[in-house]
Amino acid sequence: MSAEVSAFEYRLYPLSSLKSNQKKPPTIKDVAEKAGVSVGTVSRVLAKEVAVKAALRERVNQAMAELDYRVNIAARALRTNQIDVIGLILPDITNPFFSQLAKSIELQAVKRDHSVMLASSQGDSVIERSHVRAFLDRSVRGIVVIAATDNDFSESQSDVPIVSLDRRLGRYPLIATDHERGAALIADHLYGLGHRHIAYIAGPQDTEVGRLRKAGFVNRIKHLSAKGERVKLRIHHGKFDYGSGEQIARKLLKTTAGTQITAIAAASDQLAIGALRVARDLGLQVPADISITGFDDIDLAALVVPRLTTIRQQTDLLAECAMDMVFGSINKSRIKTIEGELVVRDSTAEARQ
Amino acid sequence: MSAEVSAFEYRLYPLSSLKSNQKKPPTIKDVAEKAGVSVGTVSRVLAKEVAVKAALRERVNQAMAELDYRVNIAARALRTNQIDVIGLILPDITNPFFSQLAKSIELQAVKRDHSVMLASSQGDSVIERSHVRAFLDRSVRGIVVIAATDNDFSESQSDVPIVSLDRRLGRYPLIATDHERGAALIADHLYGLGHRHIAYIAGPQDTEVGRLRKAGFVNRIKHLSAKGERVKLRIHHGKFDYGSGEQIARKLLKTTAGTQITAIAAASDQLAIGALRVARDLGLQVPADISITGFDDIDLAALVVPRLTTIRQQTDLLAECAMDMVFGSINKSRIKTIEGELVVRDSTAEARQ
DNA sequence: CTGAAAGCGCTTACAG
DNA sequence: CTGAAAGCGCTTACAG
């Protein structure tokens, strides 16, 4: 009895149909049959080749519509060694600036009928390297990487275009904001407001970004110092995150030397926001007692209290240039620089006396 | 003369080698030859099948190492109708809570040797739908979606597991925080601090999350009202973003009724942070004059001034459960709920008299 | 346990 | 302009 039941059930749901109880999706062959043409012709219609007679094209399109045909991407990839995917590698999607960049990249990719694969390096260039290889294995159309750290990374010669964005990867082309000049704009701004005791919270010096922003700021301050009033500049180093900002600002503002400081220039908005929070904790008014500046202009910069004076990076433009370079000619230039823009908000004011 | 030169150049760089001047990557066939076995055996070693003699396995592994062999993913995908990719669809990667979730998902995927493809729906369920189809076309291993809005979405029956995370997609299984209970915890907290004039800033009511959090909060307040002191509750509706919080709080606090309010409970941290900023603009001290609460516990919640009292969502656990469900048995439960946790920080205090 | 062979669904020279 | 056919690099019954 029980055997009978189970046999009956088996008849109803044979194993093969359990695993996939929908019919197999139609292939190019089905379309060809239905339209009464060869598979080659279907493929040509698919590829939007012009050299197909309108009548045939029409029949093929109709057949595809009727069958709800969808091209098999794996088969195409196997033939062409290429898929419509852009690989994006970044240190941490949680970083608001990177997530803005990721959004822009995705937008650009969709605009070109591509998808994006996302991989986090967690700031580790070994992981980063393995992600690059993995993307290459997948025959992606191109790879965009926001590099973890400086390194001499270089994959064995490959057809796949690799470009770095914001933070340089090895000798690959780079699209980035002019960090040096942006930092100089901040220096000018603070100097113009009469600040002569300034602390600079630098980003990590094992990244080009960190070094460039610091150099841009410091050199500009030196320049101004040389031809005008002298500036006392203290420099501290951290990462780019909130925590570093908090930690460094706390240490800084508690020293006696720290009490003389009238402005803190931070190498990133996150650092600046961390500093903002410390200032508040210590009962300092921003900007009345102390001015604070950032870099990046993440969404949050306009929302913190007080709103942050910073350098705006044009993420949309950066992403667009990166993708242009991926899809563009072979003759890629080494580096493409985008201007940052000084955005003056409420966190800076004239230096207190 | 010029013809000669060009012929010479052509000889040096025939077109085919210009396009790809690296040698073709080795295939399973090359490995088989080198190891002196059949391609079938190589494939079996690749698949880590145990039923391969150690001696052969050894030879194959050696050959693969020497040739630096890498499996062709497209070919495998064509055969198996499956790739080691998880599709992740979310409304906006820029939303800090979603980006935290995305990070956790990617971590989980890597742990299972999968990659993630990212697609933004921009809160539009038509785009969302097309992304689902696109992922299905790619034969991804599974799809995780943070739904744009409520809708009765349902793809034609498919082998590919689809699960929704945080925000429900159609009738697909959902992994989410217990929003209702979380909101009730906030209600208890505020009531316990003596707040009797409360404003609730609700999230969009065309999302289940928005409705559940509101219901959880409102019902709990009603319950407390019924058996204790009465609470005056005002409800306003917005989106989940900073801007809505700012806008609603501003309107709210400027009314005469608004001045009686001693607490604002917001349906998200972003709304709460927007409200925080308005309170500050209007010269209100938080929490002395007014308490403000959020929901999510994004990184930022612990960094704003004052630090935000909120409900912590366990993003790692949410992501893990979602991936367990993707990779898990066929017998998926409709819904899996994770507890939220009340995190009391500095933005709430006893109600002013 | 292993090999020979079929076949996944496309694209693309090659003829005509 | 179109068709017939080869082949991309794998996996997997099927024998043995």
Side-chain angles (χ1 to χ4, degrees):
Chain A
M1 182 67 176
S2 117
E4 209 175 86
V5 169
S6 104
F8 176 66
E9 282 181 338
Y10 182 77
R11 206 91 47 84
L12 263 184
Y13 308 104
L15 224 69
S16 62
S17 88
L18 248 188
K19 253 191 116 175
S20 64
N21 56 1
Q22 67 276 306
K23 44 222 154 299
K24 280 175 51 168
T27 71
I28 207 175
K29 206 177 144 202
D30 301 320
V31 175
E33 267 168 28
K34 179 151 214 143
V37 300
S38 72
V39 294
T41 299
V42 177
S43 180
R44 285 177 193 111
V45 172
L46 235 32
K48 301 210 195 316
E49 275 181 29
V50 281
V52 179
K53 262 201 200 140
L56 287 197
R57 177 192 311 284
E58 191 41 50
R59 261 155 57 203
V60 170
N61 280 136
Q62 178 135 359
M64 293 203 292
E66 279 173 29
L67 294 171
D68 192 22
Y69 170 78
R70 320 223 81 203
V71 66
N72 181 315
I73 289 173
R76 174 180 287 173
L78 176 57
R79 263 312 299 245
T80 61
N81 270 319
Q82 187 119 122
I83 55 175
D84 49 349
V85 166
I86 296 297
L88 174 63
I89 304 173
L90 41 69
D92 179 10
I93 188 65
T94 267
N95 176 317
F97 179 63
F98 295 156
S99 80
Q100 248 164 258
L101 236 27
K103 181 184 190 171
S104 301
I105 289 282
E106 206 247 345
L107 227 64
Q108 285 292 327
V110 165
K111 198 173 284 183
R112 295 161 203 258
D113 284 319
H114 281 239
S115 303
V116 358
M117 293 204 30
L118 178 74
S120 301
S121 64
Q122 294 152 222
D124 181 332
S125 48
V126 175
I127 298 178
E128 181 174 85
R129 192 168 311 224
S130 85
H131 283 316
V132 171
R133 292 210 73 179
F135 281 152
L136 254 19
D137 283 349
R138 290 178 188 284
S139 313
V140 296
R141 179 66 179 73
I143 301 179
V144 176
V145 13
I146 304 175
T149 51
D150 293 350
N151 57 61
D152 56 351
F153 182 97
S154 150
E155 228 353 92
S156 54
Q157 188 63 13
S158 154
D159 279 350
V160 179
I162 301 180
V163 308
S164 41
L165 178 58
D166 185 49
R167 305 190 180 182
R168 180 167 217 146
L169 179 72
R171 295 287 307 151
Y172 291 105
L174 170 72
I175 293 85
T177 294
D178 190 337
H179 302 296
E180 219 164 339
R181 178 150 169 62
L185 290 176
I186 290 284
D188 282 341
H189 175 63
L190 290 177
Y191 192 88
L193 288 171
H195 294 278
R196 299 297 179 261
H197 286 81
I198 302 179
Y200 183 73
I201 305 184
Q205 296 300 295
D206 60 343
T207 65
E208 203 173 20
V209 187
R211 290 195 302 272
L212 285 175
R213 292 186 186 170
K214 177 178 162 192
F217 189 84
V218 171
N219 291 340
R220 187 73 192 158
I221 289 291
K222 276 192 189 154
H223 174 78
L224 292 165
S225 264
K227 50 180 271 191
E229 275 182 71
R230 255 202 102 220
V231 175
K232 279 203 180 153
L233 179 62
R234 306 175 45 127
I235 300 175
H236 297 258
H237 295 90
K239 301 185 176 183
F240 280 123
D241 61 353
Y242 301 114
S244 275
E246 226 179 307
Q247 193 186 320
I248 292 170
R250 194 174 303 277
K251 208 183 295 175
L252 177 69
L253 293 175
K254 277 188 173 165
T255 63
T256 40
T259 56
Q260 308 199 332
I261 284 167
T262 64
I264 297 178
S268 78
D269 284 352
Q270 298 195 70
L271 282 171
I273 290 168
L276 228 43
R277 149 146 269 301
V278 170
R280 182 70 200 283
D281 282 354
L282 299 179
L284 293 169
Q285 295 294 323
V286 178
D289 296 328
I290 190 166
S291 289
I292 295 181
T293 63
F295 201 115
D296 291 340
D297 196 27
I298 59 179
D299 289 345
L300 194 59
L303 285 152
V304 287
V305 179
R307 299 180 147 96
L308 197 61
T309 293
T310 188
I311 298 293
R312 168 172 303 153
Q313 294 205 59
Q314 308 184 51
T315 53
D316 283 339
L317 191 52
L318 286 164
E320 192 178 345
C321 286
M323 294 295 268
D324 278 349
M325 208 167 272
V326 164
F327 286 91
S329 64
I330 305 164
N331 225 334
K332 305 184 197 305
S333 54
R334 282 282 113 222
I335 188 159
K336 162 91 181 175
T337 271
I338 311 256
E339 283 310 305
E341 185 187 342
L342 177 68
V343 182
V344 178
R345 296 206 184 89
D346 314 331
S347 70
T348 49
E350 298 221 335
R352 66 169 194 273
Q353 291 316 312
Chain B
M1 182 66 180
S2 115
E4 211 176 85
V5 168
S6 103
F8 175 67
E9 282 179 338
Y10 182 77
R11 205 94 47 85
L12 265 183
Y13 308 105
L15 224 68
S16 60
S17 87
L18 249 188
K19 253 191 115 175
S20 63
N21 55 1
Q22 68 276 306
K23 45 222 152 298
K24 279 175 53 169
T27 72
I28 207 176
K29 206 176 144 203
D30 301 319
V31 175
E33 267 170 27
K34 180 150 214 144
V37 300
S38 74
V39 295
T41 299
V42 176
S43 180
R44 286 179 192 109
V45 172
L46 234 33
K48 301 211 194 318
E49 275 181 28
V50 280
V52 179
K53 264 202 199 138
L56 287 199
R57 178 192 308 285
E58 190 42 49
R59 264 161 49 208
V60 170
N61 279 136
Q62 178 135 358
M64 292 203 292
E66 279 174 29
L67 293 171
D68 192 23
Y69 171 77
R70 320 224 79 203
V71 66
N72 181 314
I73 288 173
R76 173 179 288 172
L78 177 56
R79 264 311 299 244
T80 61
N81 270 320
Q82 186 120 122
I83 54 175
D84 49 348
V85 166
I86 297 296
L88 174 62
I89 304 174
L90 41 69
D92 178 9
I93 188 63
T94 268
N95 177 317
F97 179 63
F98 295 156
S99 80
Q100 249 164 257
L101 237 27
K103 181 183 188 169
S104 301
I105 289 282
E106 205 248 345
L107 228 65
Q108 286 291 326
V110 166
K111 198 174 281 180
R112 296 161 203 258
D113 284 319
H114 281 239
S115 302
V116 359
M117 293 204 29
L118 177 74
S120 301
S121 64
Q122 294 152 223
D124 181 332
S125 49
V126 174
I127 298 178
E128 182 175 84
R129 191 168 310 222
S130 86
H131 283 316
V132 170
R133 292 211 74 179
F135 281 152
L136 255 20
D137 284 349
R138 289 177 188 284
S139 314
V140 296
R141 178 66 179 72
I143 302 179
V144 175
V145 13
I146 304 176
T149 52
D150 294 349
N151 57 61
D152 56 351
F153 182 97
S154 151
E155 229 353 271
S156 54
Q157 187 64 14
S158 154
D159 279 349
V160 178
I162 301 181
V163 309
S164 42
L165 178 59
D166 184 49
R167 305 191 181 183
R168 181 167 217 146
L169 179 71
R171 297 286 308 151
Y172 292 105
L174 170 72
I175 292 88
T177 295
D178 190 338
H179 302 296
E180 218 164 341
R181 180 151 167 61
L185 290 176
I186 290 283
D188 283 340
H189 175 63
L190 291 177
Y191 191 88
L193 289 171
H195 294 278
R196 299 296 178 262
H197 285 81
I198 303 178
Y200 184 72
I201 305 182
Q205 295 300 296
D206 61 343
T207 66
E208 202 173 22
V209 187
R211 290 194 303 271
L212 285 175
R213 291 186 186 170
K214 177 180 161 189
F217 189 84
V218 171
N219 291 341
R220 188 73 192 158
I221 289 291
K222 277 191 188 153
H223 174 78
L224 293 165
S225 264
K227 50 181 271 191
E229 274 183 73
R230 253 201 105 220
V231 174
K232 280 206 179 150
L233 180 62
R234 306 176 45 126
I235 300 176
H236 297 259
H237 296 90
K239 302 185 173 180
F240 280 123
D241 62 352
Y242 301 115
S244 275
E246 227 180 307
Q247 193 186 319
I248 292 170
R250 194 175 302 279
K251 209 182 293 173
L252 177 67
L253 293 175
K254 278 189 172 165
T255 62
T256 42
T259 57
Q260 307 199 334
I261 286 168
T262 64
I264 297 178
S268 77
D269 285 352
Q270 297 194 71
L271 281 171
I273 291 168
L276 228 43
R277 149 147 270 298
V278 170
R280 182 70 201 283
D281 281 355
L282 299 180
L284 292 169
Q285 294 294 324
V286 179
D289 297 329
I290 191 165
S291 289
I292 295 181
T293 64
F295 201 115
D296 291 341
D297 196 28
I298 58 178
D299 289 345
L300 194 61
L303 285 153
V304 287
V305 180
R307 299 178 147 94
L308 196 61
T309 293
T310 189
I311 298 293
R312 169 173 302 154
Q313 294 205 58
Q314 307 185 52
T315 52
D316 284 340
L317 190 54
L318 286 163
E320 192 178 344
C321 287
M323 294 296 268
D324 278 349
M325 207 167 271
V326 164
F327 285 91
S329 65
I330 306 165
N331 223 335
K332 305 183 198 303
S333 55
R334 283 282 113 222
I335 188 159
K336 161 95 182 173
T337 270
I338 311 256
E339 283 308 305
E341 185 188 344
L342 177 68
V343 181
V344 178
R345 296 207 184 89
D346 314 330
S347 70
T348 48
E350 299 221 335
R352 66 167 194 275
Q353 290 316 313

